[in-house]
Amino acid sequence: MADAMNNKPAKQPKIEMNASRQFVPWMLEHKLSLAFTTYQTGKLFLIGLQPPDGRLSVFERTFERCMGLCSHNDSLYMSNLYQIWRFNNIVPTGQDANGYDRLYVPQASWVTGDVDAHDMAVDKNGRLIFVNTLFSCLATVDGENSFTPLWKPPFISKLAAEDRCHLNGLAMDAGTPRFVTAVSSTDVHEGWRQHRIDGGVVIDVASGETVASGFSMPHSPRMHNGKLWLLDSGNGDFGCVDIDTGKFEAVAFCPGYARGLAIHGDYALIGLSSPRGENKTFQGLPLDDRLEKAGVSAHCAIYVINLITGDVVHSLSISGVVEELYDVVALPGVIRPSALGFKSDEIRRTLNVGEMGSL
């Protein structure tokens, strides 16, 4: 769009990313790329390495209010404002498309309505399961309904579009939903808003029991090597829950609102946000006091944390118009990923033909 006064093109909003000195070598060593979402600016980012010199490759696509993200085999699933998308990679192994070894093409979507879909995962039977935050349940997609509910916490008396407890996180174990996180155990319309400081709970899906409590807005529970890791976002802690005793052991402090967690080997990749403005959801949390005492402000970044030592070993700082992140996934074995969107006509010219079938 041109400026009406001087006929010059309008400036595009800036997004800047700065990697710590060893971030790129670490990605190269582990043959790892990553993807993350930000609903504030509606972006899906794919981060990899450019051949032949290994410089950082940043690829982005625009989708309104994109949030939950998961990787399964050669596909990516992503939730946005009222849909869930499945992207399939169409680049054969060992080949590339314009220098990218993955090209994720949106080839299926389910219209769920604005259910505020958070964490997602694919179970052992290939079924997509997502956290339906608006209806306080776990759900799946189908071809006839907005969604099919699968499970709800025992304290939720009925399915209602009321975001009663802000159910948000899902931890899978051997392809089965194992734990979920919620900001509170309330059963009234947006009751969680009054319990942001210490009402957070971890719930065992199979038994319905609350196995840990006292968190401030917990997010992103993940099972790894038999341990349950999560983000105690309102306190700024990343740590591990003893599922027998319910005790939470903080491993590292995150100087930002932590949300989005992927684990690769002995490392955690964590999304940090620096939410500002008039969004009261992120205001008045214990994290504010901890940041003030540390003499720092909230940081928007991807942190790489060593699970054994708790040290922040690498980071990717993000600045400009992006101030918050939602989800982060690791893409092992991927060097330089890309994706198609709908803002250009590339998708019209990209065709992937299956093998000849029979009538």
Side-chain angles (χ1 to χ4, degrees):
M1 182 182 297
D3 188 307
M5 297 298 294
N6 56 25
N7 204 34
K8 293 181 179 180
K11 291 183 178 180
Q12 295 297 315
K14 287 187 176 181
I15 301 171
E16 297 183 2
M17 297 189 187
N18 294 292
S20 60
R21 191 164 60 90
Q22 295 299 323
F23 181 77
V24 167
W26 178 80
M27 291 178 63
L28 183 61
E29 176 187 352
H30 289 266
K31 296 182 180 179
L32 182 75
S33 293
L34 60 95
F36 63 87
T37 52
T38 165
Y39 63 76
Q40 172 205 16
T41 53
K43 296 288 186 183
L44 165 66
F45 285 97
L46 297 164
I47 308 299
L49 302 177
Q50 300 182 44
D53 54 3
R55 289 180 299 140
L56 201 67
S57 170
V58 179
F59 198 96
E60 67 174 75
R61 289 300 187 191
T62 300
F63 296 89
E64 190 173 7
R65 193 178 167 80
C66 46
M67 292 179 57
L69 191 65
C70 75
S71 173
H72 180 71
N73 294 333
D74 221 15
S75 297
L76 279 177
Y77 293 82
M78 184 191 72
S79 66
N80 74 329
L81 183 60
Y82 56 84
Q83 291 168 283
I84 292 177
W85 289 95
R86 188 187 73 214
F87 298 75
N88 292 340
N89 168 52
I90 64 170
V91 179
T93 301
Q95 298 183 29
D96 71 84
N98 298 318
Y100 295 91
D101 64 332
R102 294 292 189 280
L103 175 57
Y104 294 105
V105 178
Q107 292 189 322
S109 75
W110 297 267
V111 179
T112 61
D114 188 2
V115 297
D116 200 19
H118 278 59
D119 280 11
M120 301 191 300
V122 177
D123 72 7
K124 60 186 177 182
N125 297 315
R127 179 177 58 172
L128 178 69
I129 297 176
F130 68 94
V131 178
N132 186 327
T133 301
L134 183 64
F135 281 83
S136 309
C137 69
L138 296 181
T140 190
V141 294
D142 67 48
E144 298 180 357
N145 304 289
S146 297
F147 64 91
T148 298
L150 301 174
W151 176 91
K152 64 179 179 64
F155 54 77
I156 296 295
S157 58
K158 62 176 287 189
L159 291 177
E162 296 180 349
D163 189 8
R164 295 184 172 192
C165 63
H166 207 68
L167 195 73
N168 57 40
L170 171 61
M172 302 290 286
D173 191 14
T176 301
R178 180 76 185 277
F179 298 103
V180 295
T181 51
V183 173
S184 72
S185 54
T186 49
D187 191 31
V188 297
H189 176 259
E190 294 192 350
W192 62 273
R193 294 187 182 277
Q194 299 180 35
H195 299 272
R196 296 178 307 126
I197 304 301
D198 58 5
V201 293
V202 176
I203 307 163
D204 185 305
V205 173
S207 68
E209 295 181 357
T210 296
V211 299
S213 60
F215 300 100
S216 177
M217 300 191 69
H219 280 84
S220 311
R222 304 288 185 260
M223 290 294 296
H224 181 68
N225 291 339
K227 293 184 177 181
L228 175 61
W229 300 86
L230 62 77
L231 303 172
D232 190 7
S233 307
N235 284 309
D237 285 324
F238 163 62
C240 186
V241 175
D242 186 321
I243 56 180
D244 294 321
T245 65
K247 182 180 179 181
F248 176 71
E249 179 183 356
V251 172
F253 173 62
C254 301
Y257 188 81
R259 190 175 51 187
L261 168 63
I263 299 179
H264 177 75
D266 290 330
Y267 299 93
L269 294 93
I270 299 174
L272 302 184
S273 300
S274 56
R276 303 185 182 92
E278 299 179 358
N279 192 337
K280 295 183 179 180
T281 300
F282 306 107
Q283 297 176 0
L285 299 172
L287 174 63
D288 295 342
D289 292 334
R290 295 189 68 180
L291 290 170
E292 184 176 357
K293 289 179 181 178
V296 297
S297 58
H299 193 34
C300 184
I302 302 289
Y303 269 20
V304 180
I305 295 178
N306 187 302
L307 295 178
I308 300 172
T309 65
D311 295 340
V312 179
V313 290
H314 311 293
S315 65
L316 178 67
S317 296
I318 304 163
S319 59
V321 295
V322 175
E323 296 179 348
E324 67 76 30
L325 308 180
Y326 180 74
D327 213 352
V328 180
V329 298
L331 302 173
V334 179
I335 303 301
R336 193 185 186 197
S338 62
L340 289 186
F342 302 104
K343 296 296 183 180
S344 71
D345 64 355
E346 290 174 275
I347 198 164
R348 294 173 54 189
R349 304 189 305 271
T350 303
L351 303 174
N352 187 39
V353 182
E355 295 182 3
M356 178 69 75
S358 61
L359 294 176

